């Protein structure tokens, strides 16, 4: 469920140094109240100490922006993806697993397609890392493990089928890829909204 901007701002303030320092000073004011020092004006004392603590607290440092991924890195990922597709083209998989894998590779291909989509991807270093890991490690490991396990299953029957494990692994990777594309789509939607707000502000100025 998406969190509204006012709620996000309130949560950020609750976790800020200003609120934490002010709260600590407010607790000190409550201590003075319990000892009788504050007297009948204890609400003013507590509020004043909180305000003083919030004022003297250093401001929170904004998180540094995530630097965009260099274009060369995406080029390396595309090369790895091409090698992965070549390798998978020679692998014999069950029909359902093959269909699931084809759909997953289609998502990867769409994200890596040169153009504005890749530009949005390159701006999200975490998404690039997740996609790189899936292409270089996760998918090959799923297929290799399936082939090895299937070979042993032919010798010793019983246990959960390797096909079922492979289908589950591919399903999890598909869910991860869909989350990535949803996040990238949301990023682009926010960028569009920001530009709309900018144009509206320019019209009114």
């Amino acid at each position: 469920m998406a969190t509204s901007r006012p709620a996000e701002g309130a949560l950020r303030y609750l976790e800020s140094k200003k609120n934490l320092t002010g709260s600590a000073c407010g607790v000190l004011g409550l201590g003075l109240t319990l000892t009788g020092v504050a007297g009948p004006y204890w609400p003013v004392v507590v509020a004043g100490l909180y305000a003083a603590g919030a004022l003297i607290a250093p401001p929170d440092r904004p998180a540094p922006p995530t630097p965009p991924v260099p274009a060369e890195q995406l080029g390396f990922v595309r090369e790895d993806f091409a090698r992965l597709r070549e390798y998978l083209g020679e692998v014999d998989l069950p029909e359902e697993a093959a269909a699931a894998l084809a759909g997953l590779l289609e998502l990867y291909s769409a994200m890596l397609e040169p153009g504005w989509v890749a530009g949005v991807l390159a701006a999200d270093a975490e998404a690039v890392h997740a996609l790189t890991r899936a292409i270089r490690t996760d998918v090959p490991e799923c297929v290799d493990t399936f082939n090895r396990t299937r070979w042993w299953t032919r010798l010793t029957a019983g246990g959960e089928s390797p096909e079922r494990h492979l289908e589950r692994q591919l399903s999890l990777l598909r869910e991860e890829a869909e989350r990535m594309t949803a996040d990238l789509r949301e990023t682009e939607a926010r960028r569009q909204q920001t530009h709309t707000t900018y144009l509206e502000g320019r019209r009114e100025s």
Side-chain angles (χ1 to χ4, degrees):
M1 181 182 296
T3 306
S4 65
R5 291 183 178 179
E8 289 179 354
L11 288 174
R12 282 196 297 270
Y13 180 75
L14 289 175
E15 298 173 352
S16 67
K17 293 180 181 178
K18 289 185 174 296
N19 180 56
L20 295 176
T21 305
S23 298
C25 292
V27 170
L28 177 61
L30 289 176
L32 294 176
T33 300
L34 294 175
T35 57
V37 176
Y41 302 103
W42 67 268
V44 178
V45 172
V46 173
L49 287 173
Y50 175 87
L55 286 174
I56 64 175
D60 292 323
R61 291 184 178 181
T66 303
V69 174
E72 304 82 49
Q73 183 173 339
L74 279 185
F76 296 145
V77 179
R78 290 190 186 101
E79 292 176 2
D80 291 334
F81 183 60
R83 284 191 290 269
L84 175 64
R85 299 195 79 156
E86 183 178 353
Y87 161 69
L88 294 175
E90 301 175 356
V91 176
D92 180 28
L93 295 177
E95 184 177 350
E96 291 187 9
L101 181 60
L104 179 62
L105 296 181
E106 186 177 349
L107 273 177
Y108 292 163
S109 178
M111 283 189 281
L112 287 171
E113 182 178 356
W116 68 269
V117 176
V120 177
L121 173 66
D124 190 333
E126 291 185 6
V128 173
H129 173 73
L131 183 58
T132 303
R133 179 185 57 202
I135 290 172
R136 293 179 178 174
T137 305
D138 295 334
V139 174
E141 181 64 22
C142 288
V143 175
D144 290 345
T145 303
F146 166 74
N147 283 326
R148 291 194 299 267
T149 307
R150 181 171 58 173
W151 188 89
W152 285 107
T153 303
R154 292 170 181 170
L155 301 180
T156 307
E160 195 167 12
S161 69
E163 289 82 3
R164 183 172 181 180
H165 278 291
L166 176 61
E167 291 169 9
R168 177 57 177 158
Q169 291 165 359
L170 294 175
S171 175
L172 292 171
L173 289 173
R174 175 66 182 249
E175 291 174 7
E176 181 185 56
E178 288 175 345
R179 285 196 301 270
M180 280 191 284
T181 55
D183 290 342
L184 295 175
R185 182 171 60 247
E186 184 178 348
T187 297
E188 193 64 14
R190 286 198 300 267
R191 183 180 302 173
Q192 183 184 36
Q193 179 61 48
T194 299
H195 190 61
T196 301
T197 303
Y198 161 73
L199 293 176
E200 290 174 344
R202 194 171 69 181
R203 181 190 62 185
E204 296 171 358
S205 61

